[in-house]
Amino acid sequence: MTPPEHQRQAYLRALGIDVWKTRDAADAEQPAESMTAGGLSWSELRACVANCTQCSLAASRNNTVFGVGNPDADWLIIGEAPGAEEDRRGEPFVGRAGKLLDEMLRAIGQSRDTVFIANILKCRPPNNRDPKSEEAAACRQYLDRQIELVQPKIILAVGRIAAQNLLASNEPVGRMRGRPHNLGGTPLVVTYHPAYLLRSPSQKNKSWSDLCLAARLAAERST
Ligand code: SF4
């Protein structure tokens, strides 16, 4: 699908490319602030995120963290926001929590290369504070487009921030996990963040049952 003209212009501006336009086109153009990611290709989306200044986190980030994995994945893993190491490396879920996520994925026959991993926010909130609602709202267009492009069979919301943002809920993870949810027609399962599991290893059995539920829902959509 070809993106609308105003979106193409905003994209080119984000890349620092001067855009010549007719008077009519200039009159019809919407301001950059209203740009949405709908209709962008993977490479266009990646470039938009890399150059994004739509919330204040752009000023303090070292790197945007776009997401990694298989663009045609059956599983889409969605976490919260980059931490210090993720911000430094530009990759989600690194460090001890990332290693535990890798183990969780391995347990269900998946890996970092077969799933796609993304976050609610593409930039690190200072001091690892929770994302602000306006930051999550500004960044949501990128995640929504990633979901559209991946078309996963199952979404795994990892941790409170991801689950509450995706499901527009204030419930704690303990009440959202253990049952199927729906996000725009895609089944979604909530589970604990691996960083929490490192602090509370007794909850690992619950996260295993969440993964089994997600695997079952994914399998049902494959038949
Ligand atoms: S967090 Fe999202 S909306 Fe904010 S600057 Fe980064 S990419 Fe843009």
Side-chain angles (χ1 to χ4, degrees):
M1 189 199 311
T2 307
E5 178 59 20
H6 76 272
Q7 212 170 77
R8 188 185 73 86
Q9 305 255 347
Y11 168 69
L12 293 173
R13 270 199 307 277
L15 296 183
I17 298 169
D18 282 341
V19 183
W20 177 89
K21 50 189 174 291
T22 64
R23 177 67 183 272
D24 284 351
D27 289 346
E29 186 185 330
Q30 297 180 21
E33 289 72 22
S34 69
M35 184 186 74
T36 66
L40 297 184
S41 69
W42 274 113
S43 56
E44 290 167 339
L45 186 62
R46 190 179 287 275
C48 268
V49 168
N51 292 282
C52 180
T53 56
Q54 294 206 29
C55 83
S56 60
L57 298 179
S60 54
R61 72 182 177 221
N62 289 306
N63 289 294
T64 54
V65 179
F66 180 76
V68 292
N70 177 1
D72 296 315
D74 287 348
W75 288 65
L76 177 58
I77 316 295
I78 301 178
E80 173 181 337
E85 189 62 12
E86 286 90 356
D87 172 67
R88 194 176 68 76
R89 289 171 49 175
E91 189 178 337
F93 283 98
V94 297
R96 286 180 67 220
K99 281 202 173 66
L100 181 53
L101 178 65
D102 290 347
E103 285 173 27
M104 292 162 66
L105 293 174
R106 195 162 29 244
I108 49 165
Q110 301 287 337
S111 74
R112 211 168 260 261
D113 296 327
T114 62
V115 304
F116 194 89
I117 305 174
N119 278 321
I120 295 288
L121 291 186
K122 312 303 187 201
C123 302
R124 180 194 180 207
N127 304 314
N128 296 338
R129 63 159 169 75
D130 285 355
K132 294 179 181 172
S133 57
E134 62 268 27
E135 294 161 353
C139 214
R140 183 59 184 260
Q141 58 180 321
Y142 302 127
L143 181 61
D144 284 345
R145 184 60 185 150
Q146 288 177 314
I147 295 171
E148 282 176 3
L149 287 165
V150 174
Q151 296 189 311
K153 292 194 167 67
I154 184 74
I155 294 173
L156 188 68
V158 173
R160 173 180 62 86
I161 298 292
Q164 290 183 343
N165 271 279
L166 290 168
L167 297 173
S169 168
N170 289 322
E171 282 193 304
V173 171
R175 285 228 286 277
M176 286 188 277
R177 61 157 297 279
R179 60 193 161 97
H181 300 268
N182 186 301
L183 186 70
T186 304
L188 182 152
V189 168
V190 173
T191 195
Y192 294 111
H193 196 285
Y196 171 76
L197 294 175
L198 288 170
R199 296 193 301 273
S200 307
S202 62
Q203 302 296 319
K204 283 184 179 174
N205 59 337
K206 290 183 186 167
S207 85
W208 171 242
S209 76
D210 295 334
L211 291 176
C212 291
L213 170 62
R216 196 165 70 245
L217 294 170
E220 282 172 10
R221 296 194 82 209
S222 299
T223 55

